[in-house]
Amino acid sequence: MLSPKEFIDDAITKIKEEIQDEKAVIALSGGVDSSVCSVLVGEAIGKNLTAIFVNHGLLRKGEAEQVINTFEDRLNFIYIDASEEFLEALNGVTDPEEKRKIIGKKFIDVFEREASKIEAKYLVQGTIAPDWIETKGKIKSHHNIALPSGMVLEVVEPIRELYKDEVREIGSELGLPDAIIHRQPFPGPGLAVRVIGDLTRDKIKVCQKADAIVREEVEKSGFNKELWQYFAALTDTQVTGVKGDERDFGYLVVVRMVSSFDAMTAYVPEVPWELIRTISRRITSEISEVTHVSLSISDKPPSTIEFA
Ligand code: XMP
């Protein structure tokens, strides 16, 4: 069993041998796996790695800024704000699986467009052990990936043998901030699976604001240590409330907090009442479009963790 420092030294030697003087690209999301991979390969081959961070317009409040601040000085880093393009492609789409497909395809388009400017030979991926063990080893260790334009990249997976807790230890040794190392899982399609119905800029913004309040209060209370994920989802339901002296018609926000080991099953723990009250009061008073907050109390199964 290697120590984190030994793993890093060993990985850097192997990456240098594999990539040599060629160029490599990675899609950096700010999640712990792609962040650790980017920094590890960056340490090994320096500027020959380009880390591409695509903002699809469905990130959480402050997330783009956090990723940019963490990596822009540390890596050869490219930030692409493609939110217009993604939201245009998603205009009027309400079906969750359709949203996922559109986002996945668009992501490849945008990434490929940038990667083709670099003339990279290698694609670095933050695959970890559960990713390929769950597919019963169907993802081979040495493989190429052909992008739709015909561009072929050789895949390099430096943390393929690691489990999540080991990735976190390596991240810590590499000096990544806690906010990245202990970040809760966030789905690739982002808020598209937490905003029910069509994805308008206004609805996304309401969801971002509510989610920021949930994260802030849960983290302040320390209850996040008990949770796998905690977030706000925005329903497509409008409900009546009173604001001032007037009756109002606004959104229903659902707060979801789940404990889990691996996301295959999840349960809703007993949530401190004060925390829920504070979150609810803040959401309805700080976000004028919201009239009602509810708490999801459904385990997985039968519910899923996400709302769409
Ligand atoms: P569900 O909602 O299926 O989620 O109980 C299980 C875990 O997977 C995440 N999730 C996704 N991650 N793309 C992703 O990268 C997706 O489309 C997606 N859908 C769900 C979810 O956040 C939870 O951790």
Side-chain angles (χ1 to χ4, degrees):
M1 187 67 196
L2 297 177
S3 71
K5 169 95 179 56
E6 286 165 342
F7 176 89
I8 292 167
D9 292 343
D10 188 52
I12 288 176
T13 308
K14 285 184 186 147
I15 295 161
K16 279 183 176 160
E17 271 169 21
E18 188 168 1
I19 302 184
Q20 305 219 358
D21 290 330
E22 300 289 343
K23 294 207 160 86
V25 281
I26 183 166
L28 171 61
S29 68
V32 62
D33 302 342
S34 70
S35 296
V36 165
C37 246
S38 296
V39 173
L40 198 55
V41 177
E43 300 266 313
I45 65 166
K47 297 275 177 227
N48 277 345
L49 172 74
T50 305
I52 302 174
F53 171 50
V54 177
N55 181 349
H56 51 24
L58 296 153
L59 299 174
R60 289 165 293 181
K61 193 172 168 198
E63 190 169 356
E65 295 76 8
Q66 188 204 33
V67 175
I68 294 167
N69 291 339
T70 308
F71 297 105
E72 69 178 346
D73 295 333
R74 193 158 181 185
L75 294 170
N76 180 8
F77 176 84
I78 297 182
Y79 170 59
I80 312 287
D81 181 358
S83 38
E84 280 298 331
E85 206 175 324
F86 275 86
L87 295 184
E88 209 168 285
L90 288 161
N91 187 21
V93 178
T94 56
D95 179 76
E97 287 312 306
E98 189 67 22
K99 286 179 185 172
R100 283 188 171 85
K101 269 189 220 145
I102 292 170
I103 293 167
K105 188 176 171 306
K106 193 82 204 123
F107 188 89
I108 293 172
D109 287 351
V110 173
F111 182 76
E112 181 169 31
R113 203 159 64 211
E114 293 308 314
S116 64
K117 295 177 193 161
I118 294 159
E119 295 187 343
K121 184 173 175 200
Y122 293 97
L123 173 69
V124 180
Q125 284 189 326
T127 315
I128 63 171
D131 299 335
W132 57 271
I133 289 168
E134 274 164 25
T135 61
K136 302 203 168 43
K138 277 197 201 104
I139 308 173
K140 290 180 295 201
S141 60
H142 289 280
H143 63 281
N144 295 336
I145 227 166
L147 294 170
S149 69
M151 185 176 169
V152 178
L153 293 163
E154 276 181 50
V155 175
V156 178
E157 296 171 317
I159 56 170
R160 192 182 153 84
E161 304 300 328
L162 302 184
Y163 286 85
K164 205 73 167 190
D165 52 335
E166 296 170 317
V167 180
R168 293 203 170 102
E169 281 176 24
I170 304 296
S172 189
E173 182 71 30
L174 288 167
L176 282 169
D178 267 8
I180 299 261
I181 294 170
H182 296 290
R183 205 173 91 146
Q184 55 169 322
F186 185 62
L191 299 180
V193 297
R194 295 184 183 168
V195 173
I196 314 297
D198 58 339
L199 297 164
T200 63
R201 280 192 180 276
D202 285 347
K203 281 170 75 183
I204 294 167
K205 208 170 268 172
V206 171
C207 188
Q208 283 171 331
K209 284 187 196 165
D211 182 70
I213 293 172
V214 173
R215 283 191 287 145
E216 193 185 317
E217 292 299 333
V218 170
E219 284 160 19
K220 200 159 73 184
S221 74
F223 194 58
N224 53 312
K225 294 189 187 78
E226 313 285 319
L227 301 172
W228 169 267
Q229 277 172 291
Y230 44 102
F231 57 86
L234 184 68
T235 70
D236 212 18
T237 303
Q238 300 250 296
V239 290
T240 302
V242 272
K243 295 242 164 140
D245 294 335
E246 305 250 323
R247 284 170 82 81
D248 192 17
F249 205 45
Y251 284 110
L252 167 66
V253 162
V254 182
V255 175
R256 183 122 168 99
M257 300 182 191
V258 295
S259 298
S260 177
F261 175 65
D262 56 6
M264 301 294 280
T265 61
Y267 72 97
V268 179
E270 203 167 298
V271 180
W273 191 238
E274 241 348 275
L275 174 60
I276 287 299
R277 303 275 286 180
T278 307
I279 289 172
S280 168
R281 284 182 180 140
R282 278 197 61 193
I283 291 176
T284 46
S285 65
E286 293 174 30
I287 313 172
S288 60
E289 297 92 334
V290 180
T291 47
H292 214 111
V293 177
S294 71
L295 175 70
S296 164
I297 51 167
S298 304
D299 295 340
K300 173 183 181 177
S303 302
T304 52
I305 294 175
E306 301 293 348
F307 273 69

